[in-house]
Amino acid sequence: MLAGQESYVKRVFNGPDGIAATSREATVYGGGSGGACSVGYRVVGEWSGGFQGEIAIRNTRTAPISGWTLGFAP
């Protein structure tokens, strides 16, 4: 990692408008009450000018979930 890059990555995730401050737990709409899934995100690789992230979507109920989507907002 280049000098200063670590602080940039930390700011992206933990800064005032970072991912931690602006993200919210996903819910499933149209399949009853929300909370049928959980979404996790983590950085798995970093390099000069970028990073690789991993998203894990888990069904928290016993019944299958169909017709769902995952979206990102700017």
Side-chain angles (χ1 to χ4, degrees):
M1 182 174 330
L2 295 176
Q5 184 178 6
E6 183 177 344
S7 64
Y8 172 76
V9 171
K10 287 180 180 178
R11 189 176 74 227
V12 167
F13 287 95
N14 299 317
D17 294 318
I19 293 170
T22 59
S23 64
R24 59 182 183 261
E25 185 174 343
T27 59
V28 176
Y29 298 97
S33 62
C37 68
S38 67
V39 178
Y41 176 84
R42 70 184 182 112
V43 175
V44 295
E46 300 174 38
W47 59 90
S48 176
F51 68 93
Q52 177 183 1
E54 175 183 274
I55 298 172
I57 303 169
R58 293 178 179 84
N59 182 354
T60 59
R61 296 185 179 171
T62 56
I65 300 171
S66 62
W68 60 272
T69 61
L70 175 63
F72 295 90

